[in-house]
Amino acid sequence: MELIVVRATAAAAVARITPAVPAGVVWAQFGDEVVAGGAGAAWKRYRDATADAGARVVHARGLSPDRLHVVVQQGRLFQAHHPKVRVLHDRGRFLLVDLDPRQARRIGKRHPTCYGLYPIAAGDVVFALGGVVARRAATPSVKTLVDRVSANRFSTDLTALAGMHSRLSTSADYRAAVKITSTTLDALGYVVRKQRVSVNGKPSYNVIADRAGTDPAPRRQIVVTAHLDSINWEDGPAAAAPGADDNGSGAAGILEMAHVFAGIGSKLDLRFVLFGGEEQGLFGSKHLVANITAADRTRIRTALNMDMIGSTNTAARTVLLEGSPISVAMMDALEAAAETYTGLAVERSLHPFNSDHVSFIEKGIPGVLTIEGADSSNERVHTARDTLAHVDVQLAVEILRMNVGFVAEAIGVA
């Protein structure tokens, strides 16, 4: 089996135009590139025809379709853990690799919060460029809230969180972070409670902050989440883990959004959640979702998650919207907010992985992760090097403006 990579035009990539491949050819879209594989006479004719479009051969022998697997990784953690695995196509967060299916299953179970693997499917859109949704006219009441996002407030909160030795979810520093964030949310007028979570037999906590809407009960609810904990996998759990980007940026983002919506009337309920134990296995979000009633679960309209929103890894400031097929309408609304209220470039993926939005999606609740584009270029995650010096506050502010615009529309601000 032979593999080629064909670069699509920007318009074709956005439109998800299916390439005219012959029967038996396996192909998948990685943004503005299509990877195709095949063998035989029909394949050779297709390969030769695409050569005029700039196709390049990336692998030419010893490969079968069942060995093709897509990797979704955080940072470069898959490649750091498995340097001998053959990478056939590298698009940062998304890889195409050559792996025996049994080995792929074993690897996928080993570090579920660091990377995920799945067999490639013919016609799979691994990730796509934004541009699906056209720019809309700004809504004045929403624009007012978007413009309340403060870089200074965000930076102050982030500095406090990243200044701790570590926010390991079962540590004293983590409990201090819980106290700081709970106090802030309480002072802003939210109804705040701590939810105890067991992380491998040790206590941790979620911080939950609620504000009621004005529609008749039972009202729908919009949930906005981020994990508060950090970890150092490189040097061990006792080592420094400032977690400025992962995920001080998302946690400080929760506090900033809470500032923006403080005292603002809305039709729907609004809930902010800071999770514990994400880095060790999504413990906080799994616990939350497992312990709400079926009736309350149906009240949740969407769950918006922020994880790593503060590192610029591309020429243009970029956000990846990651959800599942049940999240498409939510992703469209987020992209519309990005187009209307920010200068962000948008990418989209329907392969949810390794953050707290997954816990909601698994229960049938539309969830989307908002994360910095090309996060794989950020090799500082889970190390002592994830510090304030590497945070681009303006990228975080742009992502927060998008998220505020989306939430303001979703809850029906007065």
Side-chain angles (χ1 to χ4, degrees):
M1 183 181 192
E2 186 176 57
L3 286 181
I4 61 172
V5 176
V6 183
R7 183 172 291 277
T9 65
V14 168
R16 285 51 154 183
I17 294 174
T18 302
V21 299
V25 170
V26 177
W27 66 273
Q29 182 178 336
F30 289 76
D32 58 353
E33 294 179 318
V34 172
V35 180
W43 161 257
K44 290 178 181 177
R45 288 193 295 271
Y46 170 75
R47 178 201 63 195
D48 294 344
T50 57
D52 293 336
R56 67 182 191 277
V57 175
V58 295
H59 187 72
R61 61 183 184 279
L63 195 63
S64 58
D66 67 324
R67 295 184 62 91
L68 296 176
H69 288 80
V70 174
V71 173
V72 188
Q73 65 177 339
Q74 189 172 22
R76 288 283 178 182
L77 293 176
F78 178 84
Q79 287 153 297
H81 292 172
H82 304 283
K84 294 183 179 180
V85 172
R86 183 164 50 174
V87 176
L88 304 169
H89 191 54
D90 185 342
R91 288 301 298 265
R93 181 174 176 83
F94 306 96
L95 307 172
L96 182 64
V97 301
D98 172 18
L99 268 176
D100 175 86
R102 289 170 296 181
Q103 185 184 7
R105 287 192 292 271
R106 287 195 299 269
I107 290 174
K109 293 176 181 177
R110 205 167 297 159
H111 293 282
T113 62
C114 295
Y115 39 79
L117 295 85
Y118 62 91
I120 197 169
D124 186 14
V125 178
V126 178
F127 78 98
L129 304 183
V132 176
V133 180
R135 185 181 181 88
R136 303 173 185 173
T139 302
S141 59
V142 174
K143 180 67 161 51
T144 298
L145 290 177
V146 168
D147 288 344
R148 289 180 64 177
V149 174
S150 166
N152 288 337
R153 269 197 314 251
F154 171 83
S155 296
T156 299
D157 290 329
L158 177 58
T159 298
L161 293 173
M164 296 176 174
H165 173 73
S166 170
R167 297 188 309 280
L168 182 70
S169 60
T170 54
S171 68
D173 271 345
Y174 181 79
R175 291 190 292 275
V178 166
K179 183 176 181 179
I180 290 170
T181 53
S182 297
T183 300
T184 300
L185 292 164
D186 180 72
L188 289 170
Y190 294 87
V191 177
V192 182
R193 64 186 174 94
K194 294 189 297 182
Q195 182 181 48
R196 185 183 172 104
V197 177
S198 177
V199 177
N200 297 323
K202 296 181 179 180
S204 187
Y205 298 92
N206 295 333
V207 178
I208 302 171
D210 286 308
R211 200 205 62 203
T214 58
D215 273 358
R219 288 177 295 274
R220 302 298 299 275
Q221 182 185 65
I222 302 299
V223 180
V224 186
T225 72
H227 71 88
L228 182 58
D229 59 318
S230 64
I231 202 163
N232 187 330
W233 287 119
E234 185 176 77
D235 302 312
D245 191 27
D246 187 14
N247 186 37
S249 63
I254 288 284
L255 298 180
E256 180 53 30
M257 289 184 68
H259 274 284
V260 168
F261 287 101
I264 300 299
S266 66
K267 295 179 179 180
L268 304 190
D269 291 350
L270 178 59
R271 168 172 283 185
F272 292 110
V273 187
L274 291 164
F275 290 120
E278 190 268 358
E279 298 288 15
Q280 292 142 302
L282 310 185
F283 283 96
S285 56
K286 288 179 179 178
H287 182 84
L288 178 87
V289 174
N291 285 277
I292 57 177
T293 66
D296 281 343
R297 192 177 302 155
T298 61
R299 291 179 56 232
I300 301 175
R301 182 174 171 185
T302 58
L304 173 64
N305 186 36
M306 292 184 284
D307 195 350
M308 296 174 60
I309 63 169
S311 179
T312 298
N313 311 305
T314 53
R317 290 187 173 120
T318 303
V319 63
L320 171 67
L321 308 179
E322 181 180 282
S324 76
I326 65 171
S327 314
V328 169
M330 183 181 175
M331 294 168 75
D332 288 347
L334 279 160
E335 185 174 345
E339 290 289 333
T340 302
Y341 302 109
T342 81
L344 289 167
V346 177
E347 296 177 345
R348 299 167 59 129
S349 170
L350 293 180
H351 295 289
F353 160 72
N354 96 320
S355 195
D356 292 305
H357 60 309
V358 174
S359 299
F360 291 89
I361 289 170
E362 288 178 345
K363 296 297 183 180
I365 299 167
V368 171
L369 167 66
T370 57
I371 186 170
E372 63 202 34
D375 69 297
S376 61
S377 297
N378 181 351
E379 298 182 351
R380 298 173 296 275
V381 297
H382 300 166
T383 77
R385 301 184 301 279
D386 185 4
T387 62
L388 290 169
H390 302 291
V391 171
D392 179 351
V393 171
Q394 291 308 312
L395 170 64
V397 166
E398 284 284 84
I399 293 176
L400 287 168
R401 286 172 63 88
M402 174 189 71
N403 288 346
V404 166
F406 165 78
V407 171
E409 295 279 5
I411 63 176
V413 296

